Amino acid sequence: MSTQENPEKVVIFGTGPAGLTAAIYAARADLEPLVYDGMQPGGQLTITTDVENFPGFADGIMGPELMDILRAQAARFGTRFSMNALDSIDLTSRPFHYVCGDEEGWADSVIVATGASARYLGLENEIRLQGYGVSACATCDGFFYRDRVVAVVGGGDSAAEEASFLTKFASKVYLLVRRDELRASKIMAQRVLANEKVEVLWNTSVVDVLGDDTVTGIRVKDSKANEERDITLEGLFLAIGHTPNSSAFADWLDTDGSGYIETAADSTATNIGGVFACGDVQDTQYRQAVTAAGSGCMAALEAERWLEEQAHSA
Ligand code: NDP
């Protein structure tokens, strides 16, 4: 257990691809990282099925299995894990003090890899069928819907982009917009509206997801006509935004208007020395497992360098 006098060298919050890759690098640099699982051990990949775009797995790999492998790889080099999630942290002065459930500790450097959570509508059947026709990542899962009918919920840039992307595979893409206009930027809106495979249903919300083991359809409501109807389809993609899991750090770290932690250009450094952010909690652009892993590597290398600099300047 760390103390103020004898802090951890590196504490990592989050065990998605970013946190675990940071752990692999930090452990191999003899920094003996301590990693806190967080609310969703393994991160968002634990709620997907096949991952076919993570390099190194020619036949694809199940998301939970990939995370087990990354965890074992981090453990192999001496990473220690705690199942607790971060409750609070004080970044006023070093070593940083934090509380995770019934544990508290001190850390010379911190890597924030707490990820982002895709927003869902909150329907019971939508949650039950996650990974079985319900997805929040068209780039990850679109490939499985070749010649199938799918729907995308949302009216922002993500929804426009995902609907356009899905037309590469799907035979038809419904875009379900809850208002009578898109929030998406003009260019992306124009692109999706011009796509012959896309049918936009305005003023339309999903009220239920149909299917026992996999999605077979959705029940939608037209709020103008005040009518409900069922649509037969096999994939439902949510693109109603993500929430970065940054609230524990909000008092200390600079964030953008949406809560994403801001990092220096080409770096994972935050506005506080010794605190690095990687993966989806700071990524508004790519949000891929492989980019998260890449930024986790950067965070560990930067933490290592930063600790060396502190040791030399002490
Ligand atoms: P946004 O917050 O921009 O849009 C979310 C959309 O989902 C809105 O249209 C909103 O509707 C809709 N929505 C929210 N909740 C519900 C709900 N419960 N039911 C139905 N619809 C709902 O999120 P995005 O992920 O689209 O974009 C996030 C940021 O990332 C933006 O700044 C965007 O510009 C950027 N981005 C840029 C891209 C690019 O440039 N290539 C690609 C993707 C994202 P309403 O409009 O009614 O509020």
Side-chain angles (χ1 to χ4, degrees):
M1 188 64 80
S2 61
T3 61
Q4 192 163 11
E5 294 70 36
N6 190 20
E8 298 287 344
K9 293 182 196 120
V10 183
V11 167
I12 299 170
F13 296 107
T15 46
L20 291 177
T21 305
I24 292 166
Y25 274 77
R28 292 190 77 252
D30 278 343
L31 295 176
E32 302 164 320
L34 173 60
V35 180
Y36 286 90
D37 265 334
M39 302 301 283
Q40 189 178 27
Q44 293 186 67
L45 281 188
T46 57
I47 54 163
T48 61
T49 50
D50 284 291
V51 178
E52 295 192 329
N53 54 9
F54 198 89
F57 297 94
D59 299 322
I61 183 166
M62 298 298 275
E65 192 188 347
L66 175 59
M67 299 322 297
D68 287 346
I69 292 172
L70 288 179
R71 183 179 283 259
Q73 194 175 356
R76 181 180 152 209
F77 300 109
T79 300
R80 291 158 300 142
F81 289 95
S82 165
M83 282 163 52
N84 283 340
L86 178 65
D87 289 317
S88 63
I89 187 160
D90 184 344
L91 299 177
T92 322
S93 60
R94 289 192 307 270
F96 306 118
H97 177 247
Y98 62 86
V99 177
C100 289
D102 55 4
E103 285 178 52
E104 65 170 337
W106 281 263
D108 265 340
S109 69
V110 163
I111 294 178
V112 184
T114 44
S117 305
R119 287 197 205 119
Y120 285 84
L121 299 167
L123 303 170
E124 200 179 319
N125 286 330
E126 170 207 28
I127 306 300
R128 182 175 60 81
L129 290 166
Q130 265 176 32
Y132 299 91
V134 175
S135 168
C137 180
T139 326
C140 319
D141 298 329
F143 182 77
F144 302 112
Y145 294 88
R146 196 172 287 283
D147 301 324
R148 315 268 169 91
V149 179
V150 301
V152 176
V153 184
D157 279 333
S158 294
E161 192 170 71
E162 304 225 329
S164 297
F165 176 80
L166 285 165
T167 60
K168 290 185 190 172
F169 309 102
S171 54
K172 173 166 188 144
V173 179
Y174 290 101
L175 181 58
L176 310 180
V177 183
R178 67 177 172 183
R179 293 187 290 132
D180 59 2
E181 60 177 352
L182 293 172
R183 177 190 292 272
S185 55
K186 213 168 205 172
I187 184 160
M188 298 187 69
Q190 278 169 351
R191 195 174 301 152
V192 74
L193 294 174
N195 194 313
E196 285 177 359
K197 278 189 177 178
V198 175
E199 181 179 341
V200 182
L201 302 182
W202 303 104
N203 306 302
T204 300
S205 307
V206 179
V207 292
D208 201 1
V209 183
L210 313 175
D212 293 330
D213 302 325
T214 59
V215 171
T216 56
I218 52 174
R219 183 158 301 150
V220 296
K221 181 173 182 178
D222 181 325
S223 60
K224 273 245 164 93
N226 200 23
E227 275 172 13
E228 287 190 5
R229 69 177 169 117
D230 292 351
I231 299 176
T232 301
L233 48 69
E234 289 176 62
L236 178 66
F237 289 84
L238 285 309
I240 58 173
H242 281 76
T243 307
N245 303 318
S246 62
S247 56
F249 303 91
D251 286 347
W252 321 100
L253 300 183
D254 290 345
T255 55
D256 70 7
S258 307
Y260 288 91
I261 295 174
E262 289 183 337
T263 51
D266 300 325
S267 166
T268 61
T270 68
N271 56 302
I272 293 193
V275 180
F276 304 88
C278 54
D280 285 8
V281 74
Q282 53 84 56
D283 180 0
T284 55
Q285 285 287 320
Y286 303 107
R287 299 187 189 119
Q288 299 299 299
V290 68
T291 51
S295 70
C297 159
M298 287 167 63
L301 295 176
E302 290 186 275
E304 183 188 357
R305 269 183 227 138
W306 186 85
L307 288 166
E308 267 170 27
E309 281 164 22
Q310 301 308 303
H312 284 129
S313 62

